[in-house]
Amino acid sequence: MLNWIVGFTILIVKLGVVLLVLLLLAAYLVWLERKFLARLQIRYGPNRAGKFGLLQPIADTIKMLTKEDIVPAAADRFIFLLAPAVVATTALMMFAVVPFGSHLTLWGRQIPLVITDLNVGLLYVFALSSLGVYGVAMGGWASNSKYSLLGGIRGAAQMISYELALGLSLVPVVMLAGSFSIVDIVNAQAKYPFIIVQPFAFVIFMISAMAESKRIPFDLPEAENELGAGYHTEYSGIRFGLFFLGEYVHLQILGALVAVLFLGGWRGPILPPPVWLFMKMIFVALIMIWVRGTLPRLRYDQLMALGWKVLIPLALVNIMVTGAILLI
Amino acid sequence: MNDAVEAVKALAIGFATTFKHLFRKPITEEYPEYKRPLPARSRARIILTRDPDGAERCVACYLCSAVCPVSCISMQSAENEDGRRYAQWFRINFARCIYCGLCEEACPTSAIQLTPEFENCENDILALVYEKKNLLVDHQGKDKEYNYYKYAGVATEVGKKGEHVKEERPVNIKSNLP
Amino acid sequence: MPTIIIDDREIEVAPGTKVIEAAEQLGIMIPRFCYHPALGSVGACRVCAVKFLQGPFKGVQMSCMVDAQDDMVVSTTDKEAVAFRKYVIECLMLHHPHDCPVCDAGGHCLLQDMTVSGGHGIRRYLGKKRTYPDQYLGPLIQHEMNRCIHCYRCSRFYQDFGGYHDLGAMQSANQTYFGRFEEGILESPFSGNLIDICPTGVYTDKPSRYFGRRWDYERSPSLCINCSLGCQTVVSCRYRKVVRQEARLSESVNGHFICDRGRYGFFYNSLAQRPRSCIVDDQTTSVDQALAAVKQKLETFADKDRAQAVACAGSTRNSLETLAMVKHVCQTNRWQPPAYFEDAAATYKLKSAISRLEPDLTVSLREIESADFIAVLGADPLNEAPMLALALRQAQRKGATVAVFDPRPIFLPFEFKHLPANLDMIQTDLGALLNAALEPAALKKLDGSAREFYASLATVKQISAARQAEIVALAELLKASQRPIIVCGTEMVRRQTPALAADYALLMQAAGKSVGLFYVMPGANGFAAGLLADEDVSVETLIAGIEKGSIKMLILVESNPLWQFPDRHRLEQALQQLEVLVVMDYINSEVAQKADIFLPTTTLYETGGVYVNQEGRAQGVKPAYQGGIPIAQTGHGDHPPRVYGTEIPGAEPQAAWQLLAHLIGTGQPLTAEDLRAEIWQWLAKIDSGFKALPCVADIQPQGARFFQAPHAAERFLRERPIGGADNDGQLEVMAVEMTFGTEELSADSACLKALAGSPVIFMYSSDAKQLNLTDGDRVSVELNGGAVEARLQVTANMAAGMLIIPRHKDLDWQKMNTDKTFVHKDQIRKLKD
Ligand code: SF4
Ligand code: SF4
Ligand code: SF4
Ligand code: SF4
Ligand code: FES
């Protein structure tokens, strides 16, 4: 009984800490993105709120919290209200299986530095990521606006397409690690990170991940110059904030997944494991921002062609090659 | 294959370019620390100018209010003692104005002009509704010369019948001599 | 019927149609300045050039000067014609001043339109411009002669069409001038049309000078309610104010023009002193509270017997909705029957006139223009219904004879026969004319009753010797006439005159002429009031009731008897005797100021309404604007208010009929639409001639003549001419209407004040001689209620034995009897200057 209570407390504390870090990180990821992007474009980026604009995320949060929450008269109210929550929760829940260290020993208790080590962790991630699509589609549909609807449809189509490539690109990793558990995958990289043996998988995963999180150059669902703001055109205030949050949590998740699956996860010399993981995540994020700062948006047909005609075949070939090598 | 090489090359150049930018000094001019001098014809805060004699130029012809795409100009024309048509009141709602400059283009008297001064933001939106006294200035703006009433045919204190630019003396209606 | 091809489209037109008109029928507007449908063509401006490709002749010709003929093929877009028009415009613009920004025509200027559409954008002529001096033309029109393009429309309208001659073309060639020989107020009461008709900004509207642009105005079709003709207008509103009124083309009523009383008769609508809030015992309150106060007072009269102590009066300026509601309220609450007229005879005269407006007799104002003989009986067209004079003028221009049988000093802007006689004799004279004019052949056609009626007419020999020759001469003309029309007044005349006029018309019809009958009635809605009125109820009978003590509460609905009740003292006394006086009105009338409870109402421009003109034509008007106090009055001088909201200040008043609806205990508040529908249902139910009234939505802009008097079984038997009564050498006093200043609504227009002139009293020249009075003497006339003092105008152009007093505002004339008023000659004294 006592054991049970302590375990539960530890879980709650872990959850709290992770959630806090995640949300804070999401906010500052926005700051980082704006700053870094600005520098890529020879600008300053936010520099008015606090030193280096460091208070900007807080100002933005306050702004979004205090803005009027508008529900369009013609919207399907229930779904409209639900959609942003779906996006944000699915994104947050994905982090449950990402390990940020091996374990901590406190008062003689071993505390694994992962919220829960599912043996099908990777599948869990994919499942939630697929659920996230619902948020987008629901938001787009429920707004009862043509822009939103188009954005929602695009989002759904794009995310489903790239989910495939995303999944397939990881099959070799699973093959190498021999497990779906992310903890196991990290452990499998104890000697060398998988990026070294699986560069193709890494590239495919990166590209698919960017498409999955609807980031430039794959931001067709919210293409400003065509669709207003796409599926979240009609959202305002904190509900828009939830979409926004979902997007940046997603970015973190993907950063973390890249780190965990290809870059050895929390492993690294000298510094404590969570710091390594953090650094790797940031590194992945910076690369994604760099891509954003460099590449223009794809056309819809290009997007689809890239997914179906390039990435998926490549991933399949990669699986076969990996399989062949493993057999040999 | 060549295409793929080309593509990779292009991508590489692109990424290199943005990467190099990281180490350049930003070109942003920081407002309000540095206020860039704007060209005289930049379009912002509107004024009502006066003609060289110092009289109000605006004749309240309603052309600016007619042309304004957002209908932010309203006025009331009237006649003053010297027979001049003038604006009894003249109001521009700067909360609506999009500074397109069409009013200036439509104005037949060079009265309404846009100026480079753009720092007229207010927290209270009502404060952005400017009345004539806020709009009227004491100079000619960009057009130093024009005085509409010198060219019009109507009699005002600027000129009686036949005294305006390029006008004959009025016809003597009581004589049949040419 | 010639068939002509214009721009590859074929059209068949009536013979005599000009090419420009044929094109218009096809929807092709050929540019024009001098051509005007009402004035015809003169070919002065040369801007209507088109190219004739085939037909009797070829080449560029003026489309307004050429009759459409068979085989003609015309191009309006031919290069040569387009270039021709462009150069014409350029020439017309040579001397045109750089005035558009300060010109009130700008925005609806034909010259602007033609210049721009003709493609003349840049001035090439660099010489000096010709200029003209301008003239003061009175309070209505601003003159700016520099802008003239010499199309002659103004002089053609003013002189040829209108019959006045104090404005026209002067000088010659490049110096041709349009104006008056001497500056001064234009004589024509139709002068305002110059503004509409001038294609440039030479004549602009003075009262609305420099107020706004056409494109900013809320413009809507409207109606003139300043006399019974109901001319159709367009009203322009801006900043919650009615700014201008112009003529609206009407093929059945006024044609292209309106008179100045109508054009400028709307200023009451936006006056600063217009009452906007309810007043109960000198306290301002809300509409609800005022209505509650009225209801509370009505409680005292709730039971059956007491209800008869309540009376309600409307007036002829009520809309049909209000008229009906007044009666409806009176009936439902068992009050006294409603009064709409001031004297009981008016109701009688109107009812008898209306009952005679059979479809085959009734003519519209426009139809008068095609008559060839017009007998005007007991009407003063220019003063009682000004546009009638213009219609008569058109008939006269086409060769018609106009004979006026009326005691007043009649003036009409054209040549006409005036046969002045007193009110008893005018019908005798007209009867004698008919007697003399009907040929034996025609007489044979008469059947029993017509023959009997004919036999009762006076013969030429029976009338005064002096008149005989005139009558005989006129009889010759009437004999030859195919389309005679009798125009009859209903206001000044004796009780039987309107019916007699109809009998005369029927007699001529029986004798084979295609005759028309046209009544002039008091007030804009006199017709409808006449239909609804109960016989022998009038303000006069209400006063009698008050005096007897049987009426204790009076509700006056847009009615101000003090304005022209002939015995003012008696009326005032009666009003004082009342326990409760309720007034609903949109003008701050004298009686409104005496009211215990006052409720403001809305005007025609605010809620619209239906008016029935004197021929039985229902004309509906939609609201022209939202109502409320003009912005200029709520503002702060140099700028309008800076308070923002959705409420319209001063828009609380409701239409009188809406207010009245609260006095019927239906409980449910109805929307205006439903209430109107209910009124219409009620109108159809009570058998009052409104059966065929179309519902408001179905009344077309041209109006609908819905009323048709049933053919009477017994004709001719109603009235017989009466001989002249012996007046014992007394003078009969007649208080008469003038074009300006005597009509209640237009009297509030400041710009018309100067046109009303100064008060005068008219006397026949030999009467004056007898009394040793000369023209211009100041006289005092001792009437029952006291003396009236004014300058005497002696004229030979009126009936003997009459004293004509125009009801001038500045003249204290309301001292007469409610019935006929006579004065002995010794009651007229000369005053020292
Ligand atoms: S600048 Fe444009 S929007 Fe502003 S007042 Fe002028 S016309 Fe209107
Ligand atoms: S266009 Fe010029 S002259 Fe005309 S109203 Fe506007 S400011 Fe005045
Ligand atoms: S008459 Fe017409 S063209 Fe001439 S100044 Fe007036 S608006 Fe302009
Ligand atoms: S004043 Fe007007 S109507 Fe008369 S001729 Fe000149 S332009 Fe024509
Ligand atoms: S319209 Fe034909 S010449 Fe003027």
Side-chain angles (χ1 to χ4, degrees), chain A residues 168-210:
Chain A
L168 290 177
S169 70
L170 289 188
V171 172
V173 173
V174 176
M175 286 158 77
L176 288 178
S179 166
F180 273 116
S181 159
I182 295 181
V183 175
D184 292 346
I185 294 176
V186 175
N187 289 337
Q189 297 180 60
K191 288 201 207 91
Y192 50 86
F194 282 159
I195 183 170
I196 295 175
V197 285
Q198 285 295 343
F200 279 113
F202 172 74
V203 171
I204 296 170
F205 186 82
M206 275 296 275
I207 295 175
S208 310
M210 279 190 283

Short mmCIF file of all heavy atoms in Angstrom, two decimals, chain A residues 168-210:
data_model
loop_
_atom_site.label_atom_id
_atom_site.label_comp_id
_atom_site.label_asym_id
_atom_site.label_seq_id
_atom_site.Cartn_x
_atom_site.Cartn_y
_atom_site.Cartn_z
N LEU A 168 7.68 4.20 -41.32
CA LEU A 168 8.56 3.31 -42.05
C LEU A 168 10.03 3.64 -41.79
O LEU A 168 10.87 2.76 -41.69
CB LEU A 168 8.26 3.38 -43.54
CG LEU A 168 6.92 2.75 -43.94
CD1 LEU A 168 6.66 2.93 -45.43
CD2 LEU A 168 6.89 1.28 -43.56
N SER A 169 10.29 4.95 -41.65
CA SER A 169 11.70 5.32 -41.47
C SER A 169 12.24 4.77 -40.16
O SER A 169 13.45 4.63 -39.97
CB SER A 169 11.85 6.83 -41.52
OG SER A 169 11.28 7.40 -40.35
N LEU A 170 11.33 4.49 -39.23
CA LEU A 170 11.80 4.03 -37.93
C LEU A 170 11.91 2.50 -37.82
O LEU A 170 12.46 1.99 -36.87
CB LEU A 170 10.87 4.54 -36.83
CG LEU A 170 10.98 6.04 -36.57
CD1 LEU A 170 10.18 6.41 -35.34
CD2 LEU A 170 12.44 6.44 -36.39
N VAL A 171 11.35 1.83 -38.83
CA VAL A 171 11.41 0.37 -38.75
C VAL A 171 12.86 -0.13 -38.61
O VAL A 171 13.15 -0.97 -37.74
CB VAL A 171 10.71 -0.26 -39.96
CG1 VAL A 171 10.92 -1.76 -40.00
CG2 VAL A 171 9.21 0.07 -39.89
N PRO A 172 13.77 0.41 -39.38
CA PRO A 172 15.16 -0.04 -39.22
C PRO A 172 15.68 0.19 -37.81
O PRO A 172 16.40 -0.64 -37.25
CB PRO A 172 15.93 0.82 -40.22
CG PRO A 172 14.93 1.27 -41.21
CD PRO A 172 13.65 1.36 -40.49
N VAL A 173 15.28 1.31 -37.22
CA VAL A 173 15.74 1.59 -35.85
C VAL A 173 15.23 0.51 -34.91
O VAL A 173 15.97 -0.02 -34.08
CB VAL A 173 15.24 2.98 -35.41
CG1 VAL A 173 15.55 3.21 -33.95
CG2 VAL A 173 15.86 4.06 -36.28
N VAL A 174 13.95 0.19 -35.08
CA VAL A 174 13.38 -0.84 -34.23
C VAL A 174 14.09 -2.17 -34.48
O VAL A 174 14.37 -2.92 -33.55
CB VAL A 174 11.87 -0.97 -34.51
CG1 VAL A 174 11.27 -2.12 -33.72
CG2 VAL A 174 11.16 0.34 -34.17
N MET A 175 14.37 -2.39 -35.77
CA MET A 175 15.07 -3.64 -36.09
C MET A 175 16.41 -3.68 -35.37
O MET A 175 16.82 -4.69 -34.81
CB MET A 175 15.27 -3.77 -37.61
CG MET A 175 13.97 -4.11 -38.34
SD MET A 175 14.04 -3.63 -40.06
CE MET A 175 15.04 -4.94 -40.72
N LEU A 176 17.10 -2.54 -35.39
CA LEU A 176 18.43 -2.50 -34.76
C LEU A 176 18.31 -2.69 -33.26
O LEU A 176 19.10 -3.41 -32.65
CB LEU A 176 19.12 -1.16 -35.06
CG LEU A 176 19.60 -0.99 -36.50
CD1 LEU A 176 20.22 0.38 -36.68
CD2 LEU A 176 20.62 -2.08 -36.85
N ALA A 177 17.31 -2.04 -32.67
CA ALA A 177 17.20 -2.12 -31.22
C ALA A 177 16.50 -3.38 -30.76
O ALA A 177 16.67 -3.82 -29.63
CB ALA A 177 16.43 -0.89 -30.71
N GLY A 178 15.68 -3.90 -31.65
CA GLY A 178 14.95 -5.12 -31.31
C GLY A 178 13.85 -4.87 -30.33
O GLY A 178 13.40 -5.78 -29.64
N SER A 179 13.38 -3.66 -30.20
CA SER A 179 12.31 -3.39 -29.24
C SER A 179 11.55 -2.14 -29.66
O SER A 179 12.09 -1.25 -30.33
CB SER A 179 12.88 -3.17 -27.84
OG SER A 179 11.91 -2.60 -27.00
N PHE A 180 10.26 -2.09 -29.26
CA PHE A 180 9.46 -0.88 -29.49
C PHE A 180 9.57 0.07 -28.34
O PHE A 180 9.13 1.19 -28.42
CB PHE A 180 8.00 -1.26 -29.71
CG PHE A 180 7.68 -1.59 -31.14
CD1 PHE A 180 7.28 -2.86 -31.52
CD2 PHE A 180 7.79 -0.59 -32.11
CE1 PHE A 180 6.97 -3.14 -32.83
CE2 PHE A 180 7.48 -0.88 -33.42
CZ PHE A 180 7.08 -2.16 -33.79
N SER A 181 10.17 -0.43 -27.24
CA SER A 181 10.28 0.43 -26.07
C SER A 181 11.36 1.47 -26.32
O SER A 181 12.48 1.15 -26.72
CB SER A 181 10.63 -0.40 -24.84
OG SER A 181 11.21 0.44 -23.87
N ILE A 182 11.02 2.69 -26.08
CA ILE A 182 11.97 3.76 -26.36
C ILE A 182 13.16 3.67 -25.42
O ILE A 182 14.29 3.96 -25.79
CB ILE A 182 11.27 5.12 -26.29
CG1 ILE A 182 10.24 5.16 -27.41
CG2 ILE A 182 12.25 6.27 -26.47
CD1 ILE A 182 9.46 6.42 -27.52
N VAL A 183 12.87 3.26 -24.20
CA VAL A 183 13.98 3.10 -23.24
C VAL A 183 14.99 2.10 -23.80
O VAL A 183 16.19 2.35 -23.80
CB VAL A 183 13.44 2.64 -21.88
CG1 VAL A 183 14.59 2.36 -20.92
CG2 VAL A 183 12.49 3.69 -21.31
N ASP A 184 14.44 1.03 -24.34
CA ASP A 184 15.33 0.03 -24.92
C ASP A 184 16.11 0.58 -26.09
O ASP A 184 17.28 0.30 -26.28
CB ASP A 184 14.54 -1.19 -25.38
CG ASP A 184 13.97 -1.95 -24.18
OD1 ASP A 184 14.45 -1.64 -23.06
OD2 ASP A 184 13.08 -2.79 -24.37
N ILE A 185 15.43 1.41 -26.90
CA ILE A 185 16.11 1.96 -28.07
C ILE A 185 17.27 2.82 -27.63
O ILE A 185 18.37 2.76 -28.19
CB ILE A 185 15.12 2.75 -28.94
CG1 ILE A 185 14.07 1.79 -29.52
CG2 ILE A 185 15.83 3.49 -30.06
CD1 ILE A 185 12.99 2.45 -30.32
N VAL A 186 17.04 3.61 -26.59
CA VAL A 186 18.13 4.45 -26.10
C VAL A 186 19.27 3.56 -25.60
O VAL A 186 20.44 3.81 -25.91
CB VAL A 186 17.64 5.36 -24.97
CG1 VAL A 186 18.81 6.13 -24.38
CG2 VAL A 186 16.60 6.33 -25.51
N ASN A 187 18.88 2.56 -24.86
CA ASN A 187 19.92 1.67 -24.35
C ASN A 187 20.71 1.03 -25.47
O ASN A 187 21.91 0.78 -25.35
CB ASN A 187 19.28 0.59 -23.46
CG ASN A 187 18.79 1.21 -22.16
OD1 ASN A 187 19.30 2.28 -21.77
ND2 ASN A 187 17.83 0.60 -21.52
N ALA A 188 20.01 0.76 -26.60
CA ALA A 188 20.68 0.12 -27.73
C ALA A 188 21.74 1.03 -28.34
O ALA A 188 22.59 0.60 -29.10
CB ALA A 188 19.67 -0.28 -28.78
N GLN A 189 21.64 2.32 -28.04
CA GLN A 189 22.60 3.24 -28.64
C GLN A 189 23.75 3.55 -27.69
O GLN A 189 24.41 4.58 -27.81
CB GLN A 189 21.90 4.57 -29.01
CG GLN A 189 20.82 4.37 -30.06
CD GLN A 189 20.14 5.68 -30.39
OE1 GLN A 189 20.80 6.60 -30.84
NE2 GLN A 189 18.84 5.75 -30.16
N ALA A 190 23.93 2.71 -26.75
CA ALA A 190 24.96 2.97 -25.75
C ALA A 190 26.32 3.14 -26.41
O ALA A 190 27.13 3.98 -26.00
CB ALA A 190 25.01 1.82 -24.75
N LYS A 191 26.57 2.39 -27.47
CA LYS A 191 27.89 2.48 -28.10
C LYS A 191 27.95 3.64 -29.08
O LYS A 191 28.83 4.48 -29.01
CB LYS A 191 28.19 1.16 -28.83
CG LYS A 191 28.49 0.02 -27.89
CD LYS A 191 29.26 -1.07 -28.63
CE LYS A 191 29.01 -2.45 -28.01
NZ LYS A 191 27.87 -3.14 -28.63
N TYR A 192 27.06 3.66 -29.97
CA TYR A 192 27.06 4.74 -30.98
C TYR A 192 25.62 5.10 -31.30
O TYR A 192 24.72 4.26 -31.24
CB TYR A 192 27.77 4.30 -32.26
CG TYR A 192 27.28 2.97 -32.77
CD1 TYR A 192 26.15 2.92 -33.61
CD2 TYR A 192 27.92 1.77 -32.42
CE1 TYR A 192 25.68 1.70 -34.06
CE2 TYR A 192 27.44 0.56 -32.87
CZ TYR A 192 26.33 0.53 -33.70
OH TYR A 192 25.85 -0.66 -34.14
N PRO A 193 25.39 6.36 -31.59
CA PRO A 193 24.03 6.75 -31.96
C PRO A 193 23.66 6.18 -33.32
O PRO A 193 24.53 5.97 -34.17
CB PRO A 193 24.09 8.28 -31.99
CG PRO A 193 25.53 8.62 -32.10
CD PRO A 193 26.33 7.47 -31.56
N PHE A 194 22.39 5.93 -33.51
CA PHE A 194 21.92 5.29 -34.74
C PHE A 194 22.11 6.13 -35.98
O PHE A 194 22.06 5.63 -37.09
CB PHE A 194 20.44 4.90 -34.61
CG PHE A 194 20.22 3.66 -33.80
CD1 PHE A 194 18.98 3.39 -33.22
CD2 PHE A 194 21.26 2.75 -33.62
CE1 PHE A 194 18.77 2.25 -32.49
CE2 PHE A 194 21.05 1.60 -32.89
CZ PHE A 194 19.81 1.34 -32.31
N ILE A 195 22.29 7.45 -35.79
CA ILE A 195 22.43 8.29 -36.98
C ILE A 195 23.60 7.82 -37.82
O ILE A 195 23.60 7.95 -39.04
CB ILE A 195 22.58 9.77 -36.57
CG1 ILE A 195 22.64 10.64 -37.84
CG2 ILE A 195 23.82 10.00 -35.74
CD1 ILE A 195 22.56 12.11 -37.59
N ILE A 196 24.55 7.24 -37.17
CA ILE A 196 25.74 6.81 -37.89
C ILE A 196 25.43 5.65 -38.80
O ILE A 196 25.87 5.61 -39.94
CB ILE A 196 26.86 6.46 -36.88
CG1 ILE A 196 27.23 7.75 -36.15
CG2 ILE A 196 28.06 5.83 -37.59
CD1 ILE A 196 28.23 7.56 -35.05
N VAL A 197 24.60 4.71 -38.27
CA VAL A 197 24.27 3.56 -39.13
C VAL A 197 23.04 3.79 -39.97
O VAL A 197 22.81 3.13 -40.96
CB VAL A 197 24.10 2.28 -38.28
CG1 VAL A 197 25.45 1.77 -37.84
CG2 VAL A 197 23.17 2.54 -37.11
N GLN A 198 22.23 4.73 -39.58
CA GLN A 198 20.98 4.94 -40.30
C GLN A 198 20.83 6.38 -40.78
O GLN A 198 19.85 7.06 -40.46
CB GLN A 198 19.80 4.57 -39.40
CG GLN A 198 19.58 3.09 -39.22
CD GLN A 198 19.19 2.42 -40.53
OE1 GLN A 198 18.79 3.08 -41.49
NE2 GLN A 198 19.38 1.11 -40.63
N PRO A 199 21.76 6.91 -41.57
CA PRO A 199 21.63 8.31 -41.99
C PRO A 199 20.37 8.54 -42.83
O PRO A 199 19.70 9.55 -42.68
CB PRO A 199 22.90 8.56 -42.81
CG PRO A 199 23.39 7.22 -43.21
CD PRO A 199 22.93 6.25 -42.18
N PHE A 200 20.04 7.55 -43.67
CA PHE A 200 18.84 7.73 -44.51
C PHE A 200 17.60 7.80 -43.67
O PHE A 200 16.75 8.66 -43.85
CB PHE A 200 18.72 6.59 -45.51
CG PHE A 200 19.60 6.80 -46.71
CD1 PHE A 200 20.69 5.98 -46.97
CD2 PHE A 200 19.32 7.87 -47.58
CE1 PHE A 200 21.48 6.20 -48.06
CE2 PHE A 200 20.12 8.08 -48.68
CZ PHE A 200 21.22 7.25 -48.94
N ALA A 201 17.51 6.87 -42.75
CA ALA A 201 16.36 6.87 -41.86
C ALA A 201 16.27 8.21 -41.15
O ALA A 201 15.19 8.80 -40.99
CB ALA A 201 16.47 5.74 -40.85
N PHE A 202 17.41 8.72 -40.73
CA PHE A 202 17.44 10.00 -40.03
C PHE A 202 16.87 11.11 -40.91
O PHE A 202 15.98 11.87 -40.50
CB PHE A 202 18.88 10.32 -39.62
CG PHE A 202 19.04 11.71 -39.06
CD1 PHE A 202 18.58 12.00 -37.78
CD2 PHE A 202 19.63 12.72 -39.81
CE1 PHE A 202 18.72 13.27 -37.27
CE2 PHE A 202 19.77 13.98 -39.30
CZ PHE A 202 19.30 14.26 -38.01
N VAL A 203 17.34 11.18 -42.14
CA VAL A 203 16.88 12.25 -43.04
C VAL A 203 15.38 12.11 -43.29
O VAL A 203 14.62 13.07 -43.19
CB VAL A 203 17.68 12.21 -44.36
CG1 VAL A 203 17.05 13.16 -45.37
CG2 VAL A 203 19.12 12.59 -44.09
N ILE A 204 14.97 10.86 -43.60
CA ILE A 204 13.54 10.66 -43.86
C ILE A 204 12.72 11.05 -42.64
O ILE A 204 11.72 11.72 -42.72
CB ILE A 204 13.26 9.20 -44.24
CG1 ILE A 204 13.98 8.86 -45.54
CG2 ILE A 204 11.76 8.96 -44.39
CD1 ILE A 204 13.96 7.38 -45.86
N PHE A 205 13.20 10.64 -41.50
CA PHE A 205 12.47 10.96 -40.28
C PHE A 205 12.38 12.46 -40.06
O PHE A 205 11.34 13.00 -39.72
CB PHE A 205 13.14 10.29 -39.07
CG PHE A 205 12.35 10.46 -37.81
CD1 PHE A 205 11.27 9.62 -37.53
CD2 PHE A 205 12.64 11.48 -36.92
CE1 PHE A 205 10.53 9.79 -36.38
CE2 PHE A 205 11.89 11.66 -35.77
CZ PHE A 205 10.85 10.80 -35.50
N MET A 206 13.50 13.15 -40.26
CA MET A 206 13.51 14.60 -40.06
C MET A 206 12.48 15.28 -40.97
O MET A 206 11.69 16.11 -40.53
CB MET A 206 14.91 15.17 -40.37
CG MET A 206 15.89 15.12 -39.22
SD MET A 206 15.39 16.11 -37.83
CE MET A 206 16.03 17.71 -38.31
N ILE A 207 12.55 14.89 -42.25
CA ILE A 207 11.64 15.53 -43.20
C ILE A 207 10.19 15.23 -42.83
O ILE A 207 9.34 16.12 -42.74
CB ILE A 207 11.94 15.06 -44.63
CG1 ILE A 207 13.34 15.53 -45.04
CG2 ILE A 207 10.91 15.59 -45.60
CD1 ILE A 207 13.79 15.03 -46.38
N SER A 208 9.93 13.95 -42.57
CA SER A 208 8.56 13.58 -42.22
C SER A 208 8.12 14.27 -40.95
O SER A 208 6.97 14.70 -40.81
CB SER A 208 8.43 12.08 -42.04
OG SER A 208 9.01 11.42 -43.12
N ALA A 209 9.04 14.40 -40.02
CA ALA A 209 8.69 15.03 -38.75
C ALA A 209 8.29 16.48 -38.97
O ALA A 209 7.33 16.98 -38.37
CB ALA A 209 9.87 14.94 -37.79
N MET A 210 9.04 17.14 -39.84
CA MET A 210 8.69 18.54 -40.11
C MET A 210 7.32 18.63 -40.77
O MET A 210 6.52 19.52 -40.47
CB MET A 210 9.76 19.17 -40.99
CG MET A 210 10.96 19.61 -40.17
SD MET A 210 12.08 20.60 -41.12
CE MET A 210 12.89 19.37 -42.08
#
